[in-house]
Amino acid sequence: MPNSNFIIENIINIIPSVLLYAELHFRFKWSWSAYYLREPEILADLPYRVEPGTAIPVLLLIKDSHQFPITLREIKVKLYKSNELLKTKNIKYNTSITSRFWEETVFIETENIRGTVEIVVEFNYLINGVEKKCLTHNYPQSKFHKLTTYLSNHSFPNDGKVQYGDLHYHTNLTEDMVEFGAPLKATLIAAQSIGLDFFCNTDHSYDLDDMPGSWKETDPTLEKWNNSRNEIDSLNNEFADSSFIIPSEELSLHNLDGRNIHALILNNSDFLPGSGDSAEKPFNFTSEYNTQNVNEGLEKDALCIAAHPFNPVPILQWFFFKRGKWKLNDVLQKNIAGLQILNGAIDKGFNEGMKFWINLLLKGHHKYIYAGNDAHGNFNIYRQIKIPMVSLYEKKEQIFGQFRTGVYPTKKNDISTIIKSLKNGNCFVTNAPLLNMTFHSDSSIYAMGSVVNVDNGILNISIISTPEFGKIKKIVIKKGVIGEKKEIDYFSIINPKMYELNKSIEIYADSKCYYRCEVELEFLGGNKKFALTNPIWLFPNIMEDVLN
């Protein structure tokens, strides 16, 4: 007779939203799985775009060969443009692979090749005495065997002052029986190639305190956490003149209703435990922190952001993991800097987040917006488990580095000043154009996120795009008067037909208000390309004027 506790425990373990590279080997004891293989997971990955003059980094991953040993004979990388084979690179290995996790990044020089290209990686390997090969991956049911990338003639839009970051990303420190991510170093190499200055390794708090090699056993010595922090320090020193990592975690905590939600904790040197939705102990929803007391674990140079606060919660996660959503009183806690409203897609969660954020601003609250992708190792395509043991799923969303937060630090490549600028709202969110907004008054310049006690001045807007992303289609300056129910379009420019634009606009305030900017590019296919600033507030000193 089936053990009911065993069944419930295993159901709980596979219900979470699976967002990483798909783990193929888990199945219930004595059960069937449509994608189970008696082989290690084998796959290749590469960035969705590549900066000019940069070789294409191709990540090769082989996982669980400690259970299913192989001999990797060779790999063949083929580059196509418009179905024409332009380049082939063969690498011979003849290497026995028996480790839990094997990875290597190989580089494909592109010479004068530009535009959209396709890459096919052929793995040739020996397993159980049988010579086999697979194209790009060995995942059953997966339709995509070609990886597409764009070799750009232009750097990602940059004014020499901005630094771009992906604030929500999972590495292979997030690993369990149905999913795994990409290594830190491989991700750092990918970041360089796409023009991304930094990323935050927001691995789950309930994974970071696991015993190495286990997803159920908690390690009181925090070996995994400590080793990861040492590796991040080492990599940041090794890549000192290029991209870097802000050490982070995605904390599971309770909202004020007692349901599990997630927060991005950036640059906190101490580990914050959070296991309320870990499923490591079935139906144990206890959480160490909530939105009210999480500030007790935050250091001065740390930042706390509401993670994907308005993404729908599936009914099974609501029941089996007691997951919920961020509510108004949670967001308004002083220690919460703002909302990660972009989570790798322009979707319902983003649209609800925008409405919520604008409503907050009109009520006089000062909270900022941020972007990330929750990309769990997906450099090129989202390929994960849809229904455990039944089907896989693929789509072009939640790709590493596609949605970014552009930040203006006072000192570039310095984590503490980047955190300070993020905390003060001196940043914008984008998936293509650069967008900066400053306010000029009495010979002073104020950045995004500023509160200025004047009633007039000059608002300066700077926009940069490139032919890769398209010309500017629309610019709108939004004005919100505190206490009103809607924003107004204070100023707009339609179809300027330019890649770059600087505009100065005189603005006024006879009551407390804010200004923010939205930019959209012309449609060249795929997702809408746009950017949004954080506000600048004007607080005219009305009482002083009356008294005078």
Side-chain angles (χ1 to χ4, degrees):
M1 184 176 178
N3 183 318
S4 60
N5 289 333
F6 171 83
I7 293 172
I8 290 172
E9 180 176 350
N10 281 280
I11 289 173
I12 288 173
N13 288 333
I14 63 173
I15 284 174
S17 177
V18 181
L19 297 172
L20 291 80
Y21 297 132
E23 162 65 60
L24 303 180
H25 296 133
F26 175 77
R27 57 181 177 176
F28 293 159
K29 196 173 183 180
W30 305 302
S31 72
W32 164 88
S33 171
Y35 50 73
Y36 180 83
L37 282 182
R38 298 192 66 82
E39 296 184 8
E41 292 90 347
I42 300 173
L43 65 96
D45 205 353
L46 53 88
Y48 75 98
R49 70 178 297 274
V50 178
E51 290 276 281
T54 303
I56 304 172
V58 180
L59 172 62
L60 310 175
L61 287 176
I62 300 176
K63 184 178 180 293
D64 289 343
S65 50
H66 65 303
Q67 296 177 7
F68 306 98
I70 70 167
T71 297
L72 180 62
R73 297 294 198 198
E74 70 173 333
I75 63 125
K76 300 177 182 178
V77 184
K78 298 179 180 180
L79 185 152
Y80 298 84
K81 183 175 175 63
S82 302
N83 293 320
E84 179 185 356
L85 179 62
L86 298 184
K87 194 175 183 71
T88 300
K89 182 171 185 175
N90 297 347
I91 305 175
K92 292 189 179 297
Y93 287 92
N94 288 317
T95 300
S96 176
I97 298 177
T98 59
S99 57
R100 182 183 186 89
F101 204 101
W102 179 92
E103 55 98 5
E104 183 173 320
T105 299
V106 299
F107 296 89
I108 309 301
E109 298 295 336
T110 58
E111 289 89 25
N112 296 318
I113 305 169
R114 292 292 180 267
T116 300
V117 299
E118 294 180 318
I119 302 286
V120 176
V121 181
E122 179 183 309
F123 291 86
N124 293 274
Y125 57 100
L126 173 71
I127 183 167
N128 296 327
V130 179
E131 298 285 351
K132 301 189 73 172
K133 75 175 181 180
C134 63
L135 300 179
T136 306
H137 60 81
N138 66 341
Y139 284 31
Q141 304 180 0
S142 178
K143 298 176 183 178
F144 293 92
H145 294 275
K146 290 184 177 180
L147 300 172
T148 302
T149 190
Y150 185 85
L151 307 180
S152 186
N153 273 317
H154 305 273
S155 297
F156 199 88
N158 201 302
D159 60 2
K161 301 175 183 177
V162 69
Q163 293 208 279
Y164 290 106
D166 187 335
L167 303 194
H168 193 166
Y169 175 76
H170 292 259
T171 73
N172 62 347
L173 295 167
T174 300
E175 179 194 5
D176 58 38
M177 61 184 170
V178 292
E179 57 191 15
F180 62 97
L184 286 163
K185 184 172 184 177
T187 305
L188 202 52
I189 292 170
Q192 287 180 287
S193 71
I194 62 176
L196 189 71
D197 296 292
F198 67 92
F199 70 90
C200 304
N201 69 308
T202 50
D203 293 291
H204 291 296
S205 53
Y206 52 73
D207 287 316
L208 289 168
D209 64 356
D210 284 345
M211 296 283 289
S214 172
W215 62 272
K216 278 189 172 184
E217 298 177 80
T218 300
D219 179 9
T221 70
L222 296 176
E223 179 182 350
K224 189 175 180 180
W225 163 272
N226 291 322
N227 287 347
S228 70
R229 269 43 196 172
N230 290 335
E231 184 180 0
I232 290 169
D233 287 344
S234 177
L235 288 170
N236 283 344
N237 288 329
E238 180 182 347
F239 290 78
D241 297 323
S242 58
S243 301
F244 57 94
I245 306 169
I246 296 181
S248 307
E249 67 173 293
E250 183 175 10
L251 176 66
S252 292
L253 72 168
H254 277 173
N255 63 16
L256 296 181
D257 292 337
R259 303 200 72 86
N260 288 302
I261 55 175
H262 290 175
L264 306 179
I265 307 296
L266 277 50
N267 198 43
N268 209 60
S269 61
D270 288 336
F271 172 69
L272 301 187
S275 55
D277 56 352
S278 68
E280 294 173 354
K281 295 179 181 178
F283 293 104
N284 181 356
F285 306 125
T286 303
S287 185
E288 292 81 354
Y289 286 101
N290 60 43
T291 53
Q292 201 166 43
N293 68 13
V294 68
N295 64 297
E296 297 172 7
L298 295 176
E299 298 161 355
K300 179 183 176 182
D301 287 337
L303 178 63
C304 182
I305 298 169
H308 44 65
F310 303 103
N311 281 17
V313 179
I315 186 64
L316 291 178
Q317 292 186 30
W318 187 90
F319 177 73
F320 283 107
F321 293 92
K322 204 177 179 182
R323 282 185 174 158
K325 287 187 176 183
W326 284 79
K327 301 291 185 67
L328 176 62
N329 288 336
D330 298 303
V331 174
L332 292 183
Q333 296 299 316
K334 186 177 179 180
N335 49 276
I336 310 299
L339 313 165
Q340 183 218 337
I341 62 168
L342 275 166
N343 194 51
I346 303 170
D347 56 9
K348 183 179 179 181
F350 167 69
N351 293 326
E352 286 191 11
M354 279 296 293
K355 292 176 184 176
F356 184 92
W357 179 56
I358 291 168
N359 188 50
L360 280 180
L361 298 178
L362 290 170
K363 288 182 178 179
H365 302 296
H366 292 206
K367 297 292 179 179
Y368 307 115
I369 54 171
Y370 308 95
N373 295 282
D374 209 355
H376 298 74
N378 302 311
F379 295 168
N380 197 272
I381 189 170
Y382 174 114
R383 181 187 292 118
Q384 290 91 14
I385 294 169
K386 183 178 183 181
I387 303 175
M389 297 179 295
V390 175
S391 61
L392 302 177
Y393 181 49
E394 297 168 314
K395 63 179 179 178
K396 283 283 189 178
E397 290 182 350
Q398 293 186 271
I399 305 301
F400 174 59
Q402 270 196 334
F403 289 90
R404 309 172 178 211
T405 302
V407 58
Y408 283 91
T410 54
K411 181 181 179 182
K412 293 183 73 172
N413 298 332
D414 182 76
I415 291 176
S416 63
T417 58
I418 284 176
I419 293 295
K420 183 177 180 180
S421 292
L422 289 170
K423 195 180 290 188
N424 292 336
N426 189 11
C427 54
F428 62 97
V429 299
T430 184
N431 63 348
L434 176 145
L435 175 57
N436 190 17
M437 181 176 76
T438 54
F439 178 70
H440 302 242
S441 178
D442 297 330
S443 301
S444 296
I445 301 175
Y446 300 89
M448 291 174 286
S450 297
V451 178
V452 191
N453 296 114
V454 298
D455 58 9
N456 70 90
I458 303 298
L459 198 66
N460 190 72
I461 305 298
S462 177
I463 305 160
I464 302 175
S465 182
T466 70
E468 176 184 351
F469 299 115
K471 294 179 180 178
I472 301 165
K473 176 184 176 182
K474 181 170 64 174
I475 307 161
V476 180
I477 304 297
K478 300 280 189 177
K479 178 182 180 180
V481 176
I482 308 305
E484 295 292 331
K485 293 184 177 180
K486 289 184 178 181
E487 296 178 328
I488 62 169
D489 291 352
Y490 182 83
F491 178 86
S492 63
I493 301 176
I494 306 299
N495 290 325
K497 302 293 185 181
M498 303 167 69
Y499 290 113
E500 298 187 24
L501 187 145
N502 285 285
K503 183 69 178 178
S504 295
I505 306 137
E506 193 166 1
I507 60 173
Y508 301 89
D510 54 13
S511 61
K512 291 183 178 181
C513 65
Y514 64 85
Y515 290 85
R516 62 181 188 86
C517 185
E518 298 183 356
V519 168
E520 184 178 342
L521 303 183
E522 62 184 355
F523 183 72
L524 298 180
N527 284 329
K528 177 177 79 171
K529 300 296 189 292
F530 71 107
L532 310 169
T533 69
N534 276 299
I536 293 174
W537 284 266
L538 296 190
F539 282 11
N541 199 331
I542 299 169
M543 287 305 299
E544 183 177 306
D545 292 343
V546 170
L547 291 173
N548 290 335

